[in-house]
Amino acid sequence: MRKNEHIAQLNGYKIIAVDDENGIVDSLSIFLKRSGYEFTGVTDPLEAIEKVKNEHFDLMVLDFIMEPIHGDKVVEEIRKFNKELYILLLTGHKDLAPPLETIRRLDIQGYCEKSDKFDQLLLLIESGIKSIKQMNEIKRINNELSGTYEKLEKAYLDSVQT
């Protein structure tokens, strides 16, 4: 097992990147695999929707301006069946950035401009992973509490019956 594969297994987070530019997907692949993430890169937005429908991903890095459909339409489709996917929207066209209303309406967690360095994006991904980790912990605790509540309720009802 190579070092990066071992790190990915320890990390356990799956990231999908969707960009119609192969170069962006390839560069993200190198950066994110090196950081220990399990990575899937897709250049076709329609294929990305199907992948998210059929596989679990924790975070999506999504280009805004793509063919045949733009990133906001991709998010619209994904939100019909997956409300939890953490989505970071990317754009290389500052003047064509999505309006804030779109980001709010589609529940997009972050927005970043493309650059030849991925510093800003990697920071957003790291903070996104921290948020995902916290949400997973909250879900785990809620499930535990729910189970405990049911046991308490049963014990109470048993004692009342006695």
Side-chain angles (χ1 to χ4, degrees):
M1 183 181 313
R2 293 195 332 263
K3 182 183 170 199
N4 287 353
E5 289 172 0
H6 180 66
I7 292 170
Q9 285 182 336
L10 291 175
N11 187 325
Y13 293 100
K14 288 180 72 175
I15 297 175
I16 184 169
V18 188
D19 197 307
D20 55 0
E21 290 179 53
N22 270 319
I24 298 289
V25 172
D26 292 343
S27 298
L28 279 172
S29 173
I30 292 164
F31 275 104
L32 294 172
K33 284 180 178 177
R34 201 179 285 157
S35 298
Y37 296 108
E38 199 172 315
F39 178 82
T40 300
V42 182
T43 54
D44 177 356
L46 299 173
E47 181 189 339
I49 294 167
E50 286 307 305
K51 277 199 170 296
V52 170
K53 204 177 266 184
N54 298 311
E55 293 177 49
H56 168 78
F57 292 97
D58 297 291
L59 187 141
M60 174 182 267
V61 177
L62 177 67
D63 188 18
F64 181 53
I65 307 291
M66 290 184 292
E67 292 298 325
I69 60 172
H70 287 349
D72 55 341
K73 297 294 177 213
V74 172
V75 177
E76 244 172 62
E77 286 305 307
I78 288 172
R79 289 301 185 223
K80 289 177 184 175
F81 61 87
N82 185 329
K83 303 270 190 233
E84 293 185 7
L85 181 62
Y86 196 100
I87 298 176
L88 297 174
L89 202 58
L90 269 185
T91 187
H93 309 278
K94 191 184 226 177
D95 49 328
L96 298 175
L100 191 56
E101 184 277 323
T102 301
I103 289 172
R104 284 187 183 132
R105 179 176 54 84
L106 296 175
D107 209 12
I108 296 169
Q109 284 79 7
Y111 165 78
C112 183
E113 288 175 28
K114 286 183 192 175
S115 71
D116 50 356
K117 294 181 188 142
F118 287 109
D119 301 355
Q120 179 78 29
L121 179 59
L122 291 174
L123 276 171
L124 283 172
I125 289 170
E126 288 295 323
S127 69
I129 292 297
K130 283 182 184 174
S131 296
I132 292 164
K133 208 181 259 185
Q134 289 173 333
M135 287 308 297
N136 289 343
E137 182 65 9
I138 289 168
K139 279 186 219 166
R140 187 191 66 72
I141 290 169
N142 279 341
N143 287 339
E144 229 173 75
L145 287 174
S146 175
T148 303
Y149 174 77
E150 287 167 12
K151 286 178 189 167
L152 279 171
E153 187 178 38
K154 185 185 178 325
Y156 172 74
L157 291 173
D158 288 349
S159 68
V160 167
Q161 264 184 342
T162 304

